[in-house]
Amino acid sequence: MQRESDLNAKGYSERDEKRILDALGRGLLKEFPNPDRAGCPGSDVLSRIASHAMPLAEAEKWLDHLTSCSPCYGDFSQFQAAHQRRRTQRLLAIAASILIVVGVAGWALFFKQKGPSAVQTAVLDLRNRSVPRGGELNPGEQPLEVSREVKRLNVYLPLGSAEGAYELRVAITTGSAIFTTNGVASVKDGVTSIETAVDLSSASSGRYVLQIRKPNSEWNSYPLLLR
Ligand SMILES: [Zn+2]
């Protein structure tokens, strides 16, 4: 935009612009052949007039020539079209960057509004977890993390797990359950998973154990961090 104000400082108003165009319009492309380009100012001058890089006072002395030399008029027209294209591109780039800012803001707002429901389903991926037996936990295993706000769990069972009925519970580390439910595992897209409703909102945050078993078999336990 700095450039725009520079141009204004050089004294081109819209009326001046129109005057030049009108003057040149009279200089039609064919009426003034000048094959030897006698007295032509050169393409640098034409380009600077077309792009308003030359002060009007300086450009003035070329106007008579431009209105009586078809080759110069042709060159000037091309420079001017190129200048207009660049100007349009600059304006489009500005408009595009405004749209991007508006878009990002809208997107952020959308997710802010969708935020609470977006976190209501948590995916717990046990596919690559080793399968512990009984209530024992593998020392050093990274705990699964879940928000207490979560309303549904989607548990991806360890690879090779069978479909069918499962029991699922969240227990404190000394063993008693704070939440218990039943679910049916099924294969979707090659993953055996259980989707089930949960309510952990009354639990305090901290370390727990997620336990899963087929009915009447041993619990498999995974460390769980409630946030
Ligand atoms: Zn000329």
Side-chain angles (χ1 to χ4, degrees):
M1 287 288 90
Q2 181 57 42
R3 206 171 151 73
E4 296 290 338
S5 51
D6 281 350
L7 298 180
N8 289 338
K10 283 182 178 133
Y12 283 88
S13 69
E14 288 214 11
R15 258 185 72 201
D16 293 330
E17 172 90 16
K18 192 164 184 318
R19 226 179 92 227
I20 294 170
L21 288 177
D22 287 348
L24 292 172
R26 288 193 299 272
L28 300 171
L29 276 169
K30 291 183 215 151
E31 269 181 34
F32 305 98
N34 183 5
D36 298 331
R37 303 300 297 261
C40 292
S43 59
D44 180 54
V45 168
L46 296 177
S47 162
R48 287 171 64 214
I49 297 174
S51 65
H52 299 189
M54 179 182 284
L56 185 60
E58 202 185 317
E60 200 92 49
K61 65 172 178 274
W62 295 110
L63 295 185
D64 278 346
H65 178 85
L66 291 184
T67 55
S68 56
C69 174
S70 292
C72 280
Y73 174 66
D75 289 352
F76 178 87
S77 301
Q78 285 181 4
F79 285 130
Q80 202 186 36
H83 173 67
Q84 288 294 349
R85 268 199 305 279
R86 280 195 301 275
R87 199 160 168 270
T88 303
Q89 278 165 2
R90 220 161 49 228
L91 290 176
L92 282 176
I94 291 166
S97 60
I98 290 170
L99 281 180
I100 288 168
V101 168
V102 169
V104 167
W107 184 79
L109 191 67
F110 177 77
F111 275 90
K112 205 172 161 199
Q113 287 169 347
K114 293 290 271 189
S117 64
V119 299
Q120 282 189 344
T121 295
V123 170
L124 297 179
D125 190 349
L126 306 178
R127 283 176 297 172
N128 292 316
R129 298 266 169 169
S130 55
V131 181
R133 293 291 163 192
E136 291 165 34
L137 295 172
N138 291 340
E141 188 169 11
Q142 274 294 104
L144 303 159
E145 285 193 33
V146 145
S147 160
R148 288 177 297 144
E149 311 297 316
V150 98
K151 295 286 177 267
R152 295 192 71 75
L153 286 182
N154 192 1
V155 183
Y156 295 174
L157 294 178
L159 295 172
S161 296
E163 292 184 279
Y166 280 84
E167 292 170 20
L168 196 144
R169 70 183 193 178
V170 175
I172 57 177
T173 46
T174 52
S176 51
I178 59 163
F179 175 80
T180 304
T181 188
N182 297 311
V184 176
S186 60
V187 179
K188 263 180 251 159
D189 301 325
V191 179
T192 310
S193 64
I194 304 174
E195 195 165 349
T196 181
V198 286
D199 182 5
L200 301 167
S201 56
S202 57
S204 47
S205 55
R207 289 180 170 274
Y208 293 83
V209 183
L210 172 72
Q211 298 187 305
I212 300 175
R213 69 175 181 187
K214 292 191 81 69
N216 304 317
S217 54
E218 276 189 286
W219 290 106
N220 295 332
S221 303
Y222 306 89
L224 177 71
L225 187 61
L226 274 192
R227 280 181 281 106

